[in-house]
Amino acid sequence: HTAEDSIGTGVGVLGDQKTLNTSFDGSAYSLIDNTRGNGIFTYDAANKINERNYFFRLPGSLWVDADNEFTSSYDRAAVDAHYYAGVTYDFYKDVFGRDSFDDNGAPIKSTVHFGRNYNNAAWVGTQMIYGDGDGSNFVELSGGLDVVGHELTHAVTDYSANLIYQDESGAINESMSDVFGTLTEFHEGINPDWDIGEDIYTPGVDNDALRSMSDPTKYDDPDHYSDRYTGTLDSGGVHTNSGIPNKAAYLISEGGAHSGITVTGIGRDKLGQIYYRALTQYLTESSTFSQLRSSLIQSATDLYGANGPEVVDVTAAFDAVGVQ
Ligand SMILES: Cc1cccc(C(=O)O)c1OC(=O)C1CC1
Ligand SMILES: [Ca+2]
Ligand SMILES: [Ca+2]
Ligand SMILES: [Zn+2]
């Protein structure tokens, strides 16, 4: 008797209801979504019996449930990791024709309840992991669609430009994850914004986020090359210096005046196509900010023609953030 696809109901980290693609094996329901690629699989690093055991095992136990209703507080992190992985899969498939992170239908695996009060999320080379947060700095990190999109984009990057995770190539790696995590959020269209992690960051503080793409300086990240971090913390400031290409991406899409330069704005769809082409066709593992500029100009030229408004805006945006 083979398993059969089923539809469950769940409640996410923010208390929102959603339906889930699950799989019934005759006795229990698993978080296996067989409707996308070669499947989306969600696991539990800890276990329901004694939640107090904090495990670092990967992938952990495939998530199973007796009644196909994922409505307990313990279920919430798994509900969103599973559901938002599907949203991100659909974004890459529908917008860029990419079948999973490897463009070959690779199964997508996520593990939730990783660690103890773990204020992190990551792509660990083979799968995504999500901590529960400490309840003050973060709640369960899979509760943010831009977070899930960010993590899965690390996988897309690894299977394309494979940008080395340090210094300028590392900041581009981070920026790509913020850009496509944000474009995923706009593609779904539920409370989209140019902030990163707002849904799962500091539950006790409203209207704040981990990072801002529209104004990186709001969280002390640079928005101009002259203000870049040149130290060794965080692999050479990969989560800080990402503010420079993030600001450029925001300006390319939305337009605005910055450093005395005015960018018209070509919109999110063209931003996504130009960035995706650069990430998959031109960037290499050691690309610098300057090479990102030239890769994006080349991509805009390929897609929309030389000296068109798209090329003009990409050029102006990188001028505005001080990258030649
Ligand atoms: C919370 C966190 C800590 C360390 C690394 C990452 C990382 O994935 O680079 C991380 O996740 C994010 O940045 C997501 C987007 C909010
Ligand atoms: Ca249940
Ligand atoms: Ca956001
Ligand atoms: Zn990241």
Side-chain angles (χ1 to χ4, degrees):
H1 175 72
T2 59
E4 61 194 25
D5 295 355
S6 43
I7 304 278
T9 57
V11 175
V13 172
L14 304 184
D16 54 319
Q17 285 242 0
K18 51 196 79 174
T19 57
L20 297 172
N21 289 302
T22 59
S23 177
F24 182 63
D25 66 5
S27 66
Y29 298 86
S30 300
L31 288 184
I32 298 175
D33 175 356
N34 281 314
T35 71
R36 295 175 166 106
N38 288 310
I40 295 177
F41 304 79
T42 303
Y43 299 81
D44 185 359
N47 60 63
K48 288 181 186 173
I49 313 302
N50 44 358
E51 286 175 34
R52 309 322 297 171
N53 275 0
Y54 298 96
F55 285 105
F56 296 86
R57 56 186 183 146
L58 292 178
S61 317
L62 185 64
W63 196 284
V64 288
D65 186 277
D67 60 9
N68 213 15
E69 288 174 22
F70 301 77
T71 55
S72 78
S73 56
Y74 192 75
D75 293 338
R76 293 185 171 196
V79 166
D80 280 344
H82 197 64
Y83 183 87
Y84 287 148
V87 173
T88 307
Y89 176 91
D90 291 349
F91 167 70
Y92 274 105
K93 192 75 166 53
D94 299 346
V95 178
F96 306 111
R98 189 182 187 94
D99 183 8
S100 195
F101 53 84
D102 66 346
D103 198 16
N104 193 28
I108 295 170
K109 300 180 179 178
S110 306
T111 297
V112 296
H113 296 310
F114 181 87
R116 185 185 192 297
N117 295 340
Y118 193 54
N119 289 318
N120 274 28
W123 170 259
V124 294
T126 54
Q127 64 162 96
M128 289 175 280
I129 64 170
Y130 298 96
D132 292 335
D134 59 17
S136 171
N137 290 294
F138 291 93
V139 296
E140 300 96 319
L141 281 95
S142 59
L145 174 53
D146 56 2
V147 177
V148 175
H150 177 108
E151 302 313 341
L152 200 49
T153 299
H154 277 310
V156 173
T157 295
D158 288 358
Y159 279 82
S160 51
N162 194 24
L163 289 150
I164 296 163
Y165 204 61
Q166 70 177 44
D167 303 329
E168 291 192 10
S169 55
I172 297 168
N173 185 316
E174 269 300 302
S175 179
M176 286 292 167
S177 278
D178 284 351
V179 167
F180 289 107
T182 292
L183 291 179
T184 302
E185 208 174 85
F186 274 101
H187 187 66
E188 191 204 36
I190 300 176
N191 303 321
D193 52 48
W194 290 90
D195 290 335
I196 303 294
E198 68 283 344
D199 290 338
I200 47 90
Y201 187 62
T202 59
V205 180
D206 286 346
N207 305 314
D208 68 340
L210 202 50
R211 296 185 285 276
S212 167
M213 299 182 71
S214 53
D215 180 14
T217 67
K218 187 172 177 186
Y219 304 108
D220 305 321
D221 296 322
D223 62 3
H224 194 278
Y225 196 68
S226 59
D227 295 324
R228 71 193 177 282
Y229 172 74
T230 56
T232 59
L233 294 176
D234 189 30
S235 306
V238 299
H239 293 93
T240 301
N241 290 333
S242 54
I244 296 159
N246 279 357
K247 178 74 180 190
Y250 170 76
L251 289 169
I252 290 165
S253 176
E254 306 302 298
H258 183 56
S259 321
I261 292 168
T262 300
V263 184
T264 307
I266 59 174
R268 294 185 303 272
D269 294 344
K270 287 183 173 178
L271 172 76
Q273 294 301 329
I274 291 167
Y275 261 67
Y276 184 76
R277 185 171 181 81
L279 182 62
T280 57
Q281 304 288 336
Y282 292 113
L283 291 173
T284 69
E285 63 178 25
S286 60
S287 291
T288 63
F289 282 5
S290 176
Q291 289 168 321
L292 172 64
R293 172 193 168 115
S294 51
S295 297
L296 292 166
I297 289 169
Q298 186 59 55
S299 297
T301 302
D302 297 344
L303 292 167
Y304 307 111
N307 309 316
E310 301 79 5
V311 167
V312 167
D313 268 12
V314 172
T315 305
F318 277 84
D319 287 346
V321 299
V323 172
Q324 290 306 316

